[in-house]
Amino acid sequence: MLKYFSADWVFPVSSPPIKNGVVAINPDGDIKEVLAEEDYASLDLDLTKYKGAIVPGFINTHCHLELSHMLNRIPEQTGLVEFVQHVIKRRQGNADLIDLAMQKADQQMFDNGIVAVGDISNQISSKKVKETSKIYYHTFIEALGFNPERAVVIMDHLREVKHDFNPLPSTIVPHAPYTVSPQLFELIRQEAEKENAFISVHNQETDDENAFFESKTGGFLKLYEFLGMDLSFFDPTNKTSLKTWLPYIKKQKTLLVHNTVTNRADIEFAKRSNPDLYWCLCPQANLYIENALPDVDLLMDEGLKITLGTDSLASNNHLNILSEMLTLQKYKQVPFEKLLNWATINGAEFLELDQQMGTIEAGKKPGLNLIQLSADFTIESVRVERLI
């Protein structure tokens, strides 16, 4: 028997919002049809009515489930270099407590209406949680290795981790330009092209990242000193970080994460270099770590495909995509319908889930969330009521 959910507004995403719309759902959660008021006014439907807006389930394209045990363990606004040092020092811990923290984080995301996650992993520890989760996970197995001599050894290890994640979907990806050598980038590219896989990479999260590649200066020198790394092999490229690393990837579909200091020249270069780029924003993590936000107006003006992520509980107090949307609405005045596209269909497209998720359309199974909006579509609360 079909269930009929009605709300003040229904946002299919694939079409304009419907005032007093109705969504008909099969028992297994598939969308049967979406009705406007004039379509059902004369029908005798058993409606379940809600105050608020019905939207598709949210897609979180960037998370670090492994770091869930680090909630409230790292001070805010330290800057990225000090933040990374804190993560390295504190990420180890009791395996049972780490597992419990991941379970709680997974449940939190489910309760917050998240239906799919692009999750960064450095090891196999999150597999158990992902195997039993109600959320779809694509795991990005993260490569770290700036010393070119270790590229082959690192890649062999990552292939073993990827094998251990089977049958769950996973991809080997670079962590960031400042932690991956050109040689390791090349091996990642070869692997991605062989498997026709999509890639995720942290991009331009701080000015120090550009300074390192442009002139071998800035705060990252302190990070390498902390790691005990000899940088004598590295010569600056006299280019920004993005202009340095993006040519290594060539043609694979790629998610650029953070983009806090990305400028117009970087974007124009990126467009020429790769036509299949997505740009992920994690605004609350940006504020937590650097107390800065990307130039969102620029990203919108350039017509980029934007997605949203939560980053980890090491750099965020909540794993809630609606909260990320509210932050962008508050600080950058992004219209709600644009934010909703970023939070749903764009992420679904990147993770290649858009045939099942991302929009409220007949035949899809996107999940349905109820949220609260004002009359002008301002987000009134970060509370999500998951309907299915």
Side-chain angles (χ1 to χ4, degrees):
M1 179 180 294
L2 293 177
K3 291 183 178 179
Y4 294 91
F5 294 149
S6 173
D8 302 325
W9 288 95
V10 171
F11 287 82
V13 176
S14 54
S15 58
I18 305 169
K19 187 173 178 59
N20 298 319
V22 166
V23 183
I25 306 290
N26 283 326
D28 61 0
D30 289 343
I31 307 294
K32 177 66 175 177
E33 57 184 343
V34 183
L35 303 171
E37 195 167 12
E38 60 269 23
D39 297 326
Y40 68 83
S42 61
L43 303 177
D44 183 22
L45 300 180
D46 182 15
L47 297 179
T48 302
K49 296 184 179 181
Y50 295 96
K51 178 177 174 54
I54 293 176
V55 300
F58 297 128
I59 312 293
N60 181 1
T61 54
H62 185 75
C63 187
H64 295 252
L65 195 63
E66 285 178 354
L67 303 182
S68 298
H69 63 292
M70 299 186 70
L71 176 65
N72 297 324
R73 295 186 64 186
I74 298 180
E76 296 186 30
Q77 300 177 14
T78 63
L80 182 65
V81 172
E82 188 173 334
F83 173 82
V84 171
Q85 292 181 50
H86 278 297
V87 171
I88 293 170
K89 291 175 184 175
R90 303 184 182 188
R91 69 173 298 153
Q92 303 303 321
N94 179 277
D96 291 337
L97 293 179
I98 291 174
D99 186 63
L100 180 60
M102 287 191 289
Q103 292 177 38
K104 289 181 177 179
D106 172 74
Q107 185 63 48
Q108 181 185 133
M109 284 195 280
F110 180 82
D111 293 341
N112 287 331
I114 293 170
V115 295
V117 177
D119 186 64
I120 303 294
S121 292
N122 299 109
Q123 52 197 346
I124 197 66
S125 61
S126 63
K127 182 180 181 181
K128 179 181 175 182
V129 175
K130 292 170 180 175
E131 283 178 321
T132 58
S133 176
K134 300 172 188 174
I135 296 172
Y136 174 93
Y137 282 92
H138 185 102
T139 299
F140 294 114
I141 301 166
E142 194 171 65
L144 294 101
F146 200 57
N147 187 331
E149 295 179 359
R150 291 196 38 84
V152 173
V153 172
I154 291 168
M155 196 64 185
D156 286 344
H157 169 69
L158 295 173
R159 290 191 184 102
E160 292 177 4
V161 177
K162 178 174 169 57
H163 178 268
D164 290 342
F165 262 107
N166 287 336
L168 302 180
S170 64
T171 307
I172 297 172
V173 302
H175 164 252
Y178 56 87
T179 56
V180 176
S181 66
Q183 291 80 358
L184 186 52
F185 261 114
E186 173 63 17
L187 294 176
I188 293 168
R189 181 193 65 78
Q190 292 175 10
E191 191 84 3
E193 289 189 2
K194 182 175 68 176
E195 299 190 356
N196 193 27
F198 43 88
I199 287 173
S200 170
V201 57
H202 296 79
N203 177 64
Q204 293 180 308
E205 203 169 343
T206 176
D207 287 323
D208 285 322
E209 183 175 325
N210 284 334
F212 178 70
F213 285 98
E214 289 170 335
S215 57
K216 200 175 180 180
T217 59
F220 278 127
L221 297 181
K222 295 180 182 177
L223 177 61
Y224 294 118
E225 181 181 350
F226 167 79
L227 295 171
M229 183 179 293
D230 178 7
L231 285 180
S232 59
F233 65 87
F234 173 74
D235 294 320
T237 64
N238 302 313
K239 301 175 184 177
T240 65
S241 171
L242 185 145
K243 290 181 180 179
T244 299
W245 72 263
L246 187 57
Y248 300 147
I249 296 297
K250 303 190 188 302
K251 63 184 180 180
Q252 292 309 112
K253 180 166 68 171
T254 301
L255 183 74
L256 289 73
V257 181
H258 293 303
N259 315 299
T260 318
V261 297
T262 302
N263 62 33
R264 190 178 299 275
D266 289 321
I267 294 171
E268 294 301 332
F269 176 85
K271 285 180 173 180
R272 294 192 301 269
S273 300
N274 187 327
D276 203 4
L277 297 179
Y278 289 71
W279 305 72
C280 177
L281 304 182
C282 305
Q284 293 199 128
N286 298 152
L287 293 173
Y288 191 107
I289 298 171
E290 291 270 334
N291 195 28
L293 290 171
D295 189 342
V296 179
D297 288 334
L298 172 63
L299 302 182
M300 291 192 292
D301 288 345
E302 290 288 341
L304 305 181
K305 282 195 172 181
I306 297 173
T307 71
L308 298 181
T310 61
D311 216 335
S312 74
L313 288 175
S315 59
N316 203 335
N317 294 313
H318 309 280
L319 302 180
N320 185 342
I321 289 295
L322 185 60
S323 185
E324 306 293 334
M325 294 167 66
L326 178 59
T327 298
L328 290 171
Q329 195 170 70
K330 175 182 176 182
Y331 288 97
K332 296 294 183 177
Q333 294 75 53
V334 183
F336 173 76
E337 289 183 69
K338 191 174 289 289
L339 288 169
L340 187 60
N341 274 272
W342 301 354
T344 57
I345 186 58
N346 285 7
E349 283 182 2
F350 173 70
L351 292 174
E352 299 182 352
L353 301 172
D354 50 305
Q355 297 303 306
Q356 309 118 273
M357 302 176 184
T359 62
I360 303 175
E361 294 182 86
K364 286 192 173 185
K365 192 175 183 178
L368 295 181
N369 294 331
L370 181 72
I371 64 174
Q372 299 304 314
L373 303 175
S374 67
D376 64 352
F377 296 164
T378 298
I379 300 167
E380 292 188 324
S381 167
V382 297
R383 182 179 177 275
V384 179
E385 182 178 347
R386 187 168 187 143
L387 302 181
I388 59 169

